[in-house]
Amino acid sequence: GESVGLHLPTLSVQEGDNSIINCAYSNSASDYFIWYKQESGKGPQFIIDIRSNMDKRQGQRVTVLLNKTVKHLSLQIAATQPGDSAVYFCAEISNTGKLIFGQGTTLQVKP
Amino acid sequence: EPEVTQTPSHQVTQMGQEVILRCVPISNHLYFYWYRQILGQKVEFLVSFYNNEISEKSEIFDDQFSVERPDGSNFTLKIRSTKLEDSAMYFCASSRDSGANVLTFGAGSRLTVL
């Protein structure tokens, strides 16, 4: 069946360091992936997406890497700031267009 | 920036009671969704809605759940007889296109069933 999961439940980094959040997916037919950020008390917020015909996509301070061979997705945040503290979810789009979320990684940024 | 708004932000109810969660999607959006998140767990898909009918629903969305778009602005989720395990955050989302990449989520409604 379809499933999206994350390797680590919590990641703690120093302010200014780079953060890497990982995600594994099981459906090799998935062709579209999204990272969402969820701050406390708020709904998921779109960060960046990537399609399966790409292996890297960059945004503002964020980069998503896709390794289709091992079905692995990562989110890299450069120069992590206190405002980056949140839960990060990877999600894949099913063949019917719905989002399938992973478990989430809590990013804690230490000052 | 346009927002998806949800009410109430928090509702406490007794087991067996009916609950209606309300959502006002972004005005020019055509596709509507409900997701839920049990505390500490991942966000789960419940149902999608387009053109005044359900497009897809998950196994969670059983006969106790229903959705409705009663007018041109509101999108509601009704739980007929709440159970303890219905306690969760319920997120409404909307999109202009069918692709989930343009999904905008509301802040959520926390439902606590006692």
Side-chain angles (χ1 to χ4, degrees), chain A residues 4 18 20 36 43 45 63-64 70 75 84 96-97 101-102 104 110:
Chain A
V4 181
N18 296 333
I20 300 175
Y36 279 90
Q45 181 182 10
T63 301
V64 55
V70 294
L75 176 71
D84 294 326
T96 59
F101 284 87
K110 296 179 287 186

Side-chain angles (χ1 to χ4, degrees), chain A residues 32 38 96 98-99 101-102, chain B residues 35 37 42 45 56 91 101:
Chain A
Y32 185 55
Q38 186 180 22
T96 59
K98 72 173 185 271
L99 285 170
F101 284 87
Chain B
Y35 287 76
Q37 184 179 32
K42 64 182 179 181
F45 170 79
E56 184 177 1
F91 292 104
N101 57 310

